[in-house]
């Protein structure tokens, strides 16, 4: 490794470029019942078109002037994934308000179809004509050219006997993944439109059971491998535009998911070639995570995301992620035939497991963070790490699913909920896992979701990690795994 | 003539297309002293770039982000020909507010040069960054690609001995004409960006003494001739975009200026070919004007523009325009060798002159409208019509220039002021004509004009025919003729 570049980094980027996907385009039209009936639109009047589903694409609007326009037409477009985005109160969020999908355009020819130049993610578009023109306009037509790199024809139908509600949840999950599949696996097509390793890990899992676009997974792995930080650590996210670059953030859990994603790819394709090729990258993430372990054997939680969750003591969850992913890395060492690394990884796993076990409270049969906190996040990652035997693991998970009050801190995001659900299914608690799919992901469907949301806490529907619900993403990659569970575990 | 089309109408449009002009491009940069010094632009901050001169063109702005942008940058551009356009009070004008030159854009890559897609007319551009982004930006560069079909190298320098102030007035006049010369002679590049016959008549006059672009004059004449109204009457204005069409308005004075413009072209080029070709069109305008004359021999003033001027009794001015232009048409009949038309036109001129003479009040030596009103507009068109002998004409003009209180109604626009000034020069009142150029057009220059304005009444600087000064055009074709007077009459 020289200056942070793996031998072959340039080759990785070339391979990523060669795997740039084809796109599938679909035309979408607004629901007839949402078309405006007012034929004298001008002077602050507006209408909201409802496309009936969530779309990622490019909009063309055609209006018709009453009489001779003589002057340009001003039109304001406000795109919304969820109707809450039309709340007129001032934006108070911490993220840039420029993620709010709004455009003001001047149509020099008000009768000509106007093609908005940027891509939007939305179900609704509100069109307002603020100007006091000398003419009015009426609606003629609107069409959206939806874009995705996901091939819908590759998705197998659910088995007969699957109930309508599970079908509906799966449909929403598949749509979520589809709309996040563009030139990379994006986290959210409204915001940040970026390739995050934590999202990729889950998207790839859902992808193998739906679109089976392994090329896009490979492209994303090559992109991460092609532009590491100076120490060889992977960035948590990658910008494609305007120039390919990694984000400054360092998250060890995200970097370790590179191994998890590579292992899942191998298990799907059984092709050792890409494992051999990317093995040094995967190993380096384990080395970096190990270097940051303190004398007491615990990882440095400052480098772990785990969940959007203010009061969370991340010590157990971070430790559990490190153990789980180092085990995946060890699996890859076997495929790559790297015996030295196997010895190294086994030693590290042992050290991390010993420290993790110290955080298990045998009296209550649960993990406690170093602050003594009991959280869902600690239990699910403690369970997934495999550090306990299967009886204790199952008991732990049964406890927290039976007594919902047991944990001081619960998950906030569908991303974190994924790991809880996965832990339940792996422990054989199939009913409890299926219940989460029905209640939690199904709860979003019952609330009218066209795609799964970035943040969902049923008891706190206005929650936003950004201080304003309207900037939340309502089609978010890390929330797509309802379809993974439905298809992997045959939910009916 | 069939269905309003002259024989050869299609040929006229083909010829107009073939005469589509070449464009001259110039790069403009803002004055260094206007560049923003604040390096932390965001969150409602703004700056105003001053380009030091009036430009018509396309703007590219480059900003630089402090750190990692991560989200789009919202920028609002407000273009102004005159600083009065930045008055923040709500717009109250009668014309569409969409003529106000404003754009809101989202720069997905805030570090990339952003090319605004539409053409603007401006000296100033205010740039505001309304959004509360997670980063600030600083100014990097701005360039405007100025466009015109006027060839500056064709303009002869003024003779040595010409004073600085006359040079300055001429410079502003030449710039006004240049910035209105695009794919046609536009009335104003900010608004309406349209080919008006009344403006064309004056622009062509100034053009022969400056840019000498006869092709553009011919192109405009062919366009008018190519799309007449059903009765063969010419439209007062033509839209080029989105499809070539004439405006619904009918103005007989404007239609008659077709003959005036054709006569001026002939006098400049001495080429009878285009006169022969367009003669039926010119004659038809005279016929239509004559058809609308009432039994008392007076034209129908409802079809005459004359000036922006509420309380004006237009009877004399309209009659004077008709006489003047029928005389130009008679001149063209001679070139075209149309003897029948000569007989017809002479008869019409006689009838109109007789009616006009009845509006001359020999006791005061001035024209009075049918309501008895004495206006500058009546005197100037009465004088230009040649209906009085030269002594009476000169006396009339001397009266109104000596006693400014004599007329109840004065001119409002530089367009109308042109005809007063021309009347003075033609009558040999050179000093009085030059005084208007120095005081009136020079008054705009002293007030800081980069181009000559659509409306200028020194005693009423906030006057607007549209109810809001900010929608006035500050680079207006019909105001460019200061350069015509300076160059034709050798002002020093």
């Amino acid at each position: 490794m020289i200056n942070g570049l793996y031998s072959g980094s340039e080759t990785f980027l070339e391979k990523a470029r060669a795997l740039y996907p084809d796109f599938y385009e679909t035309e979408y039209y607004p629901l007839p019942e949402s078309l405006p009936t007012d034929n004298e639109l001008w002077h602050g009047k507006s209408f909201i078109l409802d496309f009936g589903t969530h779309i990622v694409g490019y909009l063309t609007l055609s209006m018709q002037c009453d009489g001779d326009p003589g002057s340009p037409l001003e039109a304001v477009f406000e795109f919304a994934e969820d109707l809450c985005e039309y709340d007129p109160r001032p934006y108070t969020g911490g993220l840039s308000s420029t993620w709010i999908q709004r455009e003001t355009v001047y149509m020099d020819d008000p009768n000509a179809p106007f093609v908005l130049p940027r891509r939007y993610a939305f179900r609704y578009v509100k069109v307002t004509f603020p100007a006091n023109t000398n003419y009015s306009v009426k609606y003629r037509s609107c069409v959206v050219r939806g874009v995705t790199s996901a091939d819908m024809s590759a998705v197998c139908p659910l088995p007969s006997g699957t109930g309508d509600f599970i079908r509906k949840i799966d449909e929403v999950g598949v749509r979520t993944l589809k709309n996040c599949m563009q030139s990379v696996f994006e986290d959210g097509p409204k915001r940040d439109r970026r390739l995050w390793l934590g999202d990729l890990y889950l998207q790839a899992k859902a992808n193998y059971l739906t679109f089976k676009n392994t090329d896009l997974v490979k492209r994303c792995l090559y992109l991460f491998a092609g532009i590491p930080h100076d120490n060889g650590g992977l960035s948590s996210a990658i910008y494609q535009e305007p120039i390919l670059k990694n984000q400054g953030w360092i998250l060890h859990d995200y970097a370790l998911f590179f191994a998890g994603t590579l292992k899942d790819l191998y298990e799907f394709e059984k092709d050792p070639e890409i494992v051999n090729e990317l093995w040094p990258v995967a190993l380096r993430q384990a080395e970096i995570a190990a270097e940051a372990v303190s004398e007491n054997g615990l990882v440095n939680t400052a480098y772990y995301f785990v969940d959007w969750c203010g009061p969370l003591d991340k010590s157990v969850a971070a430790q559990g992620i490190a153990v789980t992913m180092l085990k995946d890395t060890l699996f890859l060492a076997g495929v790559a035939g790297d015996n030295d690394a196997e010895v190294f990884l086994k030693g590290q796993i042992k050290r991390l497991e010993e420290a993790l076990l110290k955080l298990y409270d045998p009296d209550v049969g649960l993990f406690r963070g170093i602050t003594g906190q009991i959280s869902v996040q600690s239990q699910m990652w403690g369970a997934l790490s495999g550090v306990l035997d299967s009886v204790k693991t199952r008991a732990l998970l049964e406890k927290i699913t039976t007594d919902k009050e047991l944990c001081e801190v619960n998950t906030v995001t569908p991303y974190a909920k994924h790991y809880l659900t996965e832990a339940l299914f792996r422990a054989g608690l199939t009913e409890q896992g299926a219940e989460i799919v029905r209640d939690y992901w199904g709860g979003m469907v019952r609330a009218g979701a066209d795609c799964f949301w970035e943040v969902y806490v049923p008891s706190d529907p206005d929650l936003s990690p950004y201080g304003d619900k309207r900037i939340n993403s309502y089609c978010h990659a890390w929330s797509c795994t309802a379809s993974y569970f439905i298809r992997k575990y045959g939910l009916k």
Side-chain angles (χ1 to χ4, degrees), chain A:
Chain A
M1 225 179 66
I2 303 158
N3 286 332
L5 290 180
Y6 296 97
S7 77
S9 282
E10 264 312 308
T11 315
F12 295 158
L13 292 182
E14 272 169 34
K15 291 196 173 183
R17 279 189 284 271
L19 291 165
Y20 193 92
D22 290 334
F23 282 83
Y24 299 87
E25 298 191 354
T26 311
E27 287 197 346
Y28 294 90
Y29 299 90
L31 298 178
E33 57 268 32
S34 76
L35 301 183
T37 52
D38 184 347
N39 282 333
E40 292 200 351
L41 295 163
W42 64 322
H43 199 184
K45 288 193 183 178
S46 66
F47 57 87
I48 295 178
L49 298 177
D50 176 0
F51 285 81
T53 188
H54 185 279
I55 318 171
V56 176
Y58 299 85
L59 181 137
T60 298
L61 177 71
S62 297
M63 301 299 294
Q64 190 168 331
C65 283
D66 176 28
D68 204 343
S71 59
L73 178 65
E74 182 185 16
V76 175
F77 296 81
E78 294 168 275
F79 295 89
E81 298 184 308
D82 186 278
L83 284 172
C84 79
E85 294 169 69
Y86 290 134
D87 179 345
R89 284 173 293 181
Y91 174 68
T92 56
L95 293 187
S96 291
S97 60
T98 52
W99 287 121
I100 294 168
Q101 301 179 110
R102 187 185 163 98
E103 293 286 346
T104 302
V105 305
Y106 295 90
M107 298 157 74
D108 286 316
D109 174 10
N111 283 309
F114 195 93
V115 187
L116 291 182
R118 300 166 78 226
R119 201 197 74 186
Y120 308 94
F122 64 104
R123 167 173 168 170
Y124 308 95
V125 59
K126 181 176 182 181
V127 185
T128 309
F129 301 96
N132 199 351
T133 46
N134 289 329
Y135 55 90
S136 66
V137 290
K138 64 181 174 193
Y139 174 85
R140 197 160 55 187
S141 68
C142 188
V143 60
V144 174
R145 180 168 59 84
V147 291
T148 175
S149 57
D151 176 7
M152 280 303 288
S153 72
V155 181
C156 296
L158 293 174
S160 65
T162 307
D164 285 347
F165 192 54
I166 287 292
R167 287 186 184 279
K168 179 70 187 163
I169 296 171
D170 178 67
E171 180 193 316
V172 172
V174 168
R175 184 180 302 119
T176 304
L177 179 57
K178 179 188 81 169
N179 285 354
C180 292
M181 283 170 71
Q182 301 294 337
S183 63
V184 293
F185 283 99
E186 294 184 7
D187 61 333
K190 163 177 149 185
R191 194 221 83 233
D192 311 328
R193 313 181 183 186
R194 206 167 295 162
L195 171 59
W196 288 85
L197 241 170
D199 297 74
L200 170 64
Y201 180 48
L202 299 194
Q203 283 169 299
K205 284 179 185 291
N207 170 57
Y208 300 133
L209 294 166
T210 53
F211 303 109
K212 307 170 190 72
N213 188 337
T214 53
D215 278 354
L216 196 64
V217 177
K218 290 177 187 170
R219 169 171 155 80
C220 293
L221 290 172
Y222 284 128
L223 284 172
F224 278 110
I227 44 172
H229 290 304
D230 280 352
N231 68 346
L234 296 184
S235 177
S236 54
I238 281 179
Y239 297 91
Q240 280 196 95
E241 299 292 345
I243 51 162
L244 187 70
K245 61 175 275 196
N246 56 27
Q247 192 183 51
W249 290 16
I250 292 164
L251 291 173
H252 285 180
D253 47 355
Y254 275 38
L256 289 169
F257 287 140
F258 185 86
T261 309
L262 189 56
K263 175 176 178 255
D264 286 345
L265 176 64
Y266 177 79
E267 294 199 323
F268 183 71
E269 280 204 326
K270 296 288 184 298
D271 176 7
E273 196 183 327
I274 191 167
V275 174
N276 289 328
E277 197 177 16
L278 293 176
W279 163 241
V281 184
L283 174 60
R284 183 70 190 125
Q285 309 318 306
E287 290 170 355
I288 291 169
E291 283 161 16
V293 171
S294 62
E295 286 189 7
N296 61 11
L298 290 173
V299 301
N300 183 343
T301 57
Y303 291 121
Y304 287 76
F305 167 67
V306 181
D307 194 6
W308 283 122
C309 202
L312 176 63
D313 173 346
K314 296 181 176 179
S315 49
V316 173
Q319 194 77 6
I321 294 172
V323 169
T324 309
M325 285 301 120
L326 258 60
K327 287 179 176 173
D328 280 3
T329 313
L330 179 62
F331 172 89
L332 294 171
V335 177
D338 187 337
N339 298 332
D340 291 349
E342 285 184 331
V343 173
F344 165 75
L345 289 164
K346 282 176 183 167
Q348 292 300 325
I349 291 166
K350 184 162 180 289
R351 183 166 72 128
L352 291 173
E353 286 194 328
E354 283 167 8
L356 178 55
L357 272 174
K358 287 185 186 148
L359 296 172
Y360 179 71
D361 181 343
D363 296 338
V364 292
L366 293 171
F367 285 96
R368 284 183 185 278
I370 49 171
T371 62
Q373 185 192 75
I374 296 175
S375 70
V376 170
Q377 290 91 335
S378 294
Q379 312 318 314
M380 71 197 192
W381 276 113
L384 285 168
S385 74
V387 75
L388 302 177
D389 63 37
S390 62
V391 176
K392 281 183 182 153
T393 300
R394 195 179 164 111
L396 170 154
L397 291 169
E398 280 183 319
K399 267 199 184 72
I400 62 165
T401 46
T402 310
D403 180 359
K404 307 275 198 230
E405 304 299 311
L406 199 56
C407 293
E408 298 165 52
V409 174
N410 207 329
T411 57
V412 167
T413 57
Y415 166 77
K417 195 69 91 185
H418 167 89
Y419 294 106
L420 171 63
T421 313
E422 180 75 324
L424 293 167
F425 278 115
R426 289 229 192 131
L429 298 170
T430 312
E431 238 345 284
Q432 288 90 328
E435 192 185 313
I436 292 181
V437 172
R438 279 201 187 81
D439 285 1
Y440 183 74
W441 275 277
M444 287 186 257
V445 171
R446 277 189 292 265
D450 302 294
C451 291
F452 289 122
W453 308 335
E454 178 183 19
V455 178
Y456 179 52
V457 175
S459 62
D460 188 1
D462 288 338
L463 184 68
S464 170
Y466 315 113
D468 194 311
K469 186 186 181 185
R470 291 166 291 181
I471 209 76
N472 287 5
S473 162
Y474 289 90
C475 171
H476 215 69
W478 71 18
S479 310
C480 74
T481 56
S483 292
Y484 162 83
F485 294 119
I486 289 168
R487 288 163 181 270
K488 183 175 175 90
Y489 300 108
L491 306 196
K492 296 288 170 76

